[in-house]
Structure formats: C-alpha cells, structure tokens
Amino acid sequence: MTPLRLGYLYGIGAYLLWGFFPLYFKLLRPTGPLEILAHRIVWSVLFVALLLGALRNVGFLRALLRRPWTVAGIVAAAALIAVNWGTYIYGVSSDRVVETALGYFINPLVVVLLGVTVLRERLRPAQWIALGIGGAAVAVLAVDYGRLPWLALTLAFSFAGYGLIKKRLGLPAAEGLFVESAVLALPALGYLAWLSRHAELTFGHVSAGHTTLLVLAGAATAIPLLLFAGAANRLPLTGLGMIQYLAPILQLACGVLIFHEPMPPARLAGFALVWLALIVFTADAVDQSRRTRTRAHTRATEAPVSTP
C-alpha cells in the first residue's frame, strides 16, 4: 500500500471516529459533562503512557523539561483542548449536537482568521470572501438562535488556537497528548475525588457497561488523534483539508437524523452560508496547491542540466 493511500485511510478513520463521537457521549449518561471530561483526561494519560512504554519512548520527558518555553506552550495547549473537550461534551449532553457540528464546520475559517490576526498573514481575495460569507452566516444563526452561537464559536476558536500552538511546538502526537493530559490530570483527579467525597461520582455506580465506557474514553480520545497524526504525515494539506469536513457532516447527521434536533429554515440558511464559505475556501486552496505544483514543475524542467 502506498503512503498516500495509507494516509487517506488514517485520515478517514480519524474523522469517522470523531464524527460518531455524539453517539458515544450520549451513552455515558447520567454522568455529567465535567465528570466525563475528567475521566477522558485521566484515562488518556494511562492509555498513552502504556503506549509509550510499549514503544520504549519515555526518555523524551527529560529532554522536554530542559525547554521551559515548550513546557509553557504545552500548558497553554492543554488549557485550550480542555476547554474544547468540555464544551463539546456539554453540547452533546445538552442536546445541541447540531451547534457542535457548526463549530467544526467554521473551524477552517477561524484558522484563517487567526492567521491574519496572530501570524500577520496576507490573505488572497477568495479567502477574504470566504471569511465575509462566514461572518454573514454567524449573523444569520445569531438571529435564529436569539443569541450568538457561543458553543460553536468556543469550539472553533479553542481548536484553532490549539492547532496553532501545536504547529509551533512540533511535538509528535503520542508524546504531545501524554504531556497535555498529564498537565490536566491533577485537577481532573481532584475533581473526581471531590465527587466521590460528596457521593456524586457515577463511576462504578451505574453499571459495568457504563464503567467500561468511561474507562474507554481514554482510548477513544487517543486513537483518532494518532490516526490523524499518521494522516498529516502522509497527505498534502489539500487532501487533509478535503476530508476534514467528514466529521462535522456526520455530527450534523447524528443531531438531525438520530437525535431529531430542530433545523428550522433560518438555521438551515445559516448552515448553507457556512457551506458556501467552505466551498470558496476549499476551491481556493485546491487552486493554490495546483499553481504551486505547476510552478515547481516549471522550475524543475527549466533548470539547466549539468554535465560531467
């Protein structure tokens, strides 16, 4: 199997798992969002620690501790991913799966916005058009909801910020996830201990199946991230960008078709504007990638051939 085909399999596997996350988190009721988040953090640490132990790759921690700025970046990334995970779990638990899907639809547009505001990047005209359409979509959805879609915006901005920090840090997927989860593990354990002390802990008190699902939250968190890392290392950005919409499409389908969340005409119009913005954004990215390949090929063919 070629690396490219393997990369697509990894990417599709990651986004399929993320797309069906609402079904998984619904099974964790009656556990509250914060307890689910705490279990997700604690069991992620244990799962990735076992993985790194099996790979005999634990020496990276010593080297990491000698890089204080990297550690500070990891702490910031951990805080953002905790906000993202907690917001997503809250959205699913409060029957707002459609709004969580919206967050991941607009995430690519937020990434572009951060590129302008944080990295001082210059946008192409099509990217400005996509951002304008996306802004109009948020306005339409705000009118429909009677408020800003804050849950979707929190998901989009927290994940975009997390991705920006991760790109700057350049840590491998397993090692990065382990350190991020380890940073959050102490407060997560403290919260679980507080719940236990006040007899509010659901872990071990609902059913054996429920307890097993909470334990598996660690693997459910780590496996798609590792698959995504495998895809990112093998696919061009345009290929990865095309399949990233698979997860919110499946999440939207879960919300509307399985959980029967409402989709009134105004909300559908807002989503249609988001999709139009993504079409403009993706078409521009594909065209830019094609132009880059063409220029590289032209330079290669025009380069003088040296003779011995």
Side-chain angles (χ1 to χ4, degrees):
M1 184 178 295
T2 64
L4 186 65
R5 182 172 296 181
L6 187 61
Y8 276 110
L9 288 177
Y10 283 151
I12 291 170
Y15 285 109
L16 280 175
L17 290 172
W18 281 327
F20 289 115
F21 260 16
L23 300 179
Y24 179 80
F25 287 123
K26 289 282 189 180
L27 294 175
L28 299 180
R29 288 177 171 177
T31 304
L34 283 179
E35 185 182 348
I36 294 174
L37 175 61
H39 283 293
R40 190 175 182 182
I41 291 167
V42 170
W43 297 113
S44 292
V45 173
L46 293 176
F47 179 84
V48 181
L50 290 173
L51 178 63
L52 292 174
L55 297 175
R56 302 180 183 277
N57 188 16
V58 294
F60 78 96
L61 282 173
R62 289 191 296 271
L64 185 63
L65 291 175
R66 293 193 290 267
R67 298 157 58 190
W69 284 110
T70 300
V71 173
I74 290 172
V75 172
L80 285 172
I81 201 61
V83 170
N84 184 269
W85 289 352
T87 303
Y88 183 81
I89 295 166
Y90 170 77
V92 174
S93 300
S94 58
D95 300 320
R96 293 161 69 180
V97 175
V98 168
E99 193 174 345
T100 66
L102 173 64
Y104 290 109
F105 274 124
I106 65 176
N107 178 70
L109 302 177
V110 174
V111 171
V112 173
L113 183 61
L114 287 182
V116 175
T117 57
V118 178
L119 302 180
R120 305 297 181 184
E121 294 178 351
R122 297 182 62 181
L123 297 188
R124 296 183 293 275
Q127 292 175 311
W128 281 115
I129 292 171
L131 281 179
I133 297 172
V138 171
V140 169
L141 289 164
V143 171
D144 173 65
Y145 282 114
R147 55 171 173 78
L148 278 175
W150 65 266
L151 192 148
L153 292 173
T154 301
L155 286 172
F157 275 92
S158 60
F159 197 69
Y162 172 76
L164 177 63
I165 294 174
K166 291 282 284 184
K167 185 176 181 179
R168 291 268 180 108
L169 294 176
L171 293 175
E175 288 83 346
L177 177 60
F178 173 77
V179 179
E180 291 157 13
S181 300
V183 167
L184 301 169
L186 190 59
L189 286 169
Y191 179 69
L192 293 175
W194 183 88
L195 288 178
S196 178
R197 182 178 179 182
H198 290 79
E200 296 180 12
L201 189 70
T202 63
F203 183 78
H205 297 286
V206 177
S207 67
H210 179 268
T211 300
T212 302
L213 287 172
L214 284 174
V215 172
L216 291 176
T221 298
I223 290 173
L225 283 171
L226 296 174
L227 289 173
F228 174 79
N233 290 334
R234 293 170 174 84
L235 294 180
L237 286 178
T238 50
L240 199 60
M242 292 294 288
I243 62 174
Q244 72 177 317
Y245 304 124
L246 179 60
I249 287 171
L250 291 173
Q251 291 167 5
L252 179 63
C254 287
V256 175
L257 301 178
I258 298 177
F259 304 130
H260 306 292
E261 294 184 14
M263 180 63 82
R267 193 167 306 168
L268 185 59
F271 269 85
L273 284 173
V274 171
W275 296 329
L276 176 60
L278 292 176
I279 289 171
V280 173
F281 174 79
T282 305
D284 175 71
V286 171
D287 180 66
Q288 185 65 22
S289 176
R290 180 184 59 80
R291 290 173 182 269
T292 301
R293 288 197 302 268
T294 301
R295 286 195 295 266
H297 178 72
T298 301
R299 285 195 297 267
T301 55
E302 291 178 352
V305 179
S306 59
T307 56

